């Protein structure tokens, strides 16, 4: 298993909380399916069937947040409420007023809720207590924040911080494009996005297209900066870096796929092997990327002090 997206946060390194301590903290917020009158439910589930809430492989911790959400479109509520309003008008001799219609819609929602269709989704969280990384496999910061809110609620005084680097990713990516060369250990791939800094927000995108250095430099000279850049690390992992320091479209390359033990027939062994491989590689990749972006800002402030 490999994360597709990386929303990266910082913990103290090493983080002293043990897997057993974390298990106890998460247990009160275990996932419970939505009741008949509830619209959504969220809680921790075991990453492996019949396992613990905290899955451990080589001191790396894996959590899984489950969500169940009922779909009850407003259009359906309005349609049923409109039909009931016609019946009510015939009974009372006049059209329902605004207050009465509001109450009618609330009544319809209560009646339909137990029959609403549910969708289930889940989000993985990887904690590296040795190096102090906490990574959420989420495509957006907002989705990651939902996960972190529940984790902060479970773990008292969780010392979690947003990852801050010395160089702005936007500035660094723009410089790499202008130089037509990635930082040490990284290569620049074919996908990128440049956006104007002015009010126009004019945007140029290259999608699976060879990037012409001269063309890119003209866009940069015109005031555009890089907001997304596809890169490859050490010929092992490809990804897209964004201006917010989120990492998307994470893909292990063939060299890693070949090194994975595909001969094992045990699903749990394959899962643990993939997780160990992923965490080992991504820990190094994140560290190299932070270094390429000038190091951590908090660490630099601490050194200066």
């Amino acid at each position: 298993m490999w994360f597709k997206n990386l929303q990266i946060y910082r913990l103290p390194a090493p983080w002293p909380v043990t897997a057993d301590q974390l298990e106890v903290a998460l247990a009160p917020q275990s996932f419970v399916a939505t009741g008949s009158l509830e619209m959504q439910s969220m809680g921790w589930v075991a990453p492996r069937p019949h396992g613990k809430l905290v899955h451990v492989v080589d001191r790396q911790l894996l959590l899984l947040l489950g969500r169940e959400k009922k779909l009850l479109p407003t259009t359906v509520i309005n349609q049923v409420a409109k039909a009931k309003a016609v019946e009510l008008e015939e009974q009372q001799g006049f059209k329902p007023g605004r207050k009465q219609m509001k109450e009618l819609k609330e009544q319809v929602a209560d009646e339909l809720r137990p029959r609403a269709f549910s969708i289930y989704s889940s989000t993985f969280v990887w904690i590296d207590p040795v190096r102090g990384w906490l990574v959420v496999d989420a495509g957006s910061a907002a989705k990651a924040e939902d996960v972190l809110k529940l984790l902060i609620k479970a773990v008292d005084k969780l010392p979690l911080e947003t990852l801050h680097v010395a160089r702005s990713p936007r500035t660094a990516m723009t410089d790499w494009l202008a130089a037509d060369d990635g930082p040490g250990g990284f290569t620049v791939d074919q996908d990128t996005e440049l956006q104007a800094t002015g009010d126009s927000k004019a945007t140029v995108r290259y999608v699976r297209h060879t990037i012409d250095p001269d063309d890119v430099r003209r866009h940069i000279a015109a005031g555009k900066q890089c907001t997304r850049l596809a890169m490859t690390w050490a010929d092992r992992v490809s990804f897209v870096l964004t201006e917010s320091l989120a990492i998307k479209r994470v893909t292990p390359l063939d060299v890693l796929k070949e090194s994975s033990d595909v001969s094992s027939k045990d699903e749990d062994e394959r899962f643990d092997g993939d997780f160990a491989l992923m965490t080992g590689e991504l820990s190094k990749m994140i560290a190299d990327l932070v270094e390429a972006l000038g190091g951590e800002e908090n660490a630099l402030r601490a050194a200066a002090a």
Side-chain angles (χ1 to χ4, degrees):
M1 56 84 65
W2 274 75
F3 283 20
K4 298 298 183 185
N5 304 284
L6 310 179
Q7 301 286 342
I8 308 169
Y9 302 88
R10 250 312 184 189
L11 287 168
W15 189 45
V17 175
T18 66
D20 289 340
Q21 290 171 330
L22 188 55
E23 180 85 21
V24 171
L26 298 181
Q29 295 177 4
S30 297
F31 176 78
V32 178
T34 55
S36 61
L37 297 180
E38 295 174 319
M39 285 301 295
Q40 63 179 353
S41 178
M42 186 164 59
W44 302 103
V45 297
R48 299 302 298 149
H50 312 297
K52 294 184 176 181
L53 296 179
V54 182
H55 188 70
V56 186
V57 179
D58 294 339
R59 296 188 294 172
Q60 303 297 300
L61 312 180
L62 183 66
L63 316 178
L64 184 61
L65 185 76
R67 284 191 194 84
E68 185 181 17
K69 186 176 182 180
K70 290 184 177 179
L71 300 180
L72 189 55
T74 303
T75 52
V76 174
I77 295 174
N78 291 340
Q79 184 178 356
V80 176
K82 185 177 179 180
K84 287 183 175 291
V86 173
E87 296 176 2
L88 188 59
E89 181 180 356
E90 293 176 353
Q91 294 173 9
Q92 63 187 17
F94 57 89
K95 290 184 177 181
R98 182 177 299 177
K99 181 180 178 182
Q100 200 170 19
M101 279 301 301
K102 181 181 178 182
E103 293 173 348
L104 192 58
K105 289 179 182 180
E106 291 173 351
Q107 177 188 338
V108 168
D110 290 340
E111 292 173 355
L112 295 178
R113 195 171 290 119
R115 293 179 285 161
F117 180 72
S118 295
I119 57 172
Y120 180 83
S121 62
S122 58
T123 304
F124 278 110
V125 180
W126 157 41
I127 299 176
D128 180 349
V130 179
R131 302 171 186 85
W133 300 119
L134 187 149
V135 180
V136 183
D137 185 4
S140 69
K143 186 176 180 181
E145 286 298 322
D146 287 342
V147 177
L148 296 181
K149 285 177 184 176
L150 202 62
L151 187 59
I152 291 170
K153 185 178 179 181
V155 181
D156 186 39
K157 297 180 181 178
L158 180 67
L160 188 68
E161 295 182 357
T162 301
L163 175 62
H164 294 287
V165 290
R167 292 190 71 196
S168 157
R170 178 187 278 243
T171 301
M173 291 188 295
T174 302
D175 289 346
W176 298 336
L177 273 178
D180 190 26
D181 191 21
F186 294 87
T187 56
V188 173
D189 295 338
Q190 292 186 324
D191 289 19
T192 190
E193 177 180 284
L194 296 110
Q195 189 176 87
T197 56
D199 294 337
S200 70
K201 298 296 181 184
T203 302
V204 174
R205 294 186 180 92
Y206 291 80
V207 180
R208 298 183 182 88
H209 191 285
T210 300
I211 298 173
D212 185 319
D214 292 335
D215 192 25
V216 165
R217 292 187 189 109
R218 283 193 292 271
H219 286 300
I220 293 173
K224 293 184 178 69
Q225 291 187 323
C226 184
T227 56
R228 293 169 64 93
L229 181 63
M231 305 176 73
T232 293
W233 169 74
D235 295 326
R236 300 171 77 80
V237 180
S238 68
F239 62 93
V240 173
L241 177 65
T242 74
E243 61 180 326
S244 63
L245 198 51
I247 298 175
K248 301 189 175 185
R249 286 170 36 193
V250 178
T251 306
L253 301 184
D254 290 342
V255 65
L256 288 181
K257 293 177 182 178
E258 291 170 2
S259 65
S260 179
D261 183 15
V262 295
S263 62
S264 173
K265 295 182 180 180
D266 185 278
E267 185 178 345
D268 288 335
E269 288 183 6
R270 286 200 301 271
F271 185 91
D272 287 354
D274 285 346
F275 180 58
L277 180 64
M278 181 194 79
T279 55
E281 295 295 327
L282 293 187
S283 288
K284 298 173 189 174
M285 188 190 83
I286 292 171
D288 285 353
L289 182 60
V290 169
E291 183 179 352
L293 292 169
E296 290 186 65
E297 194 175 50
N298 291 347
L300 292 174
R301 285 202 300 264

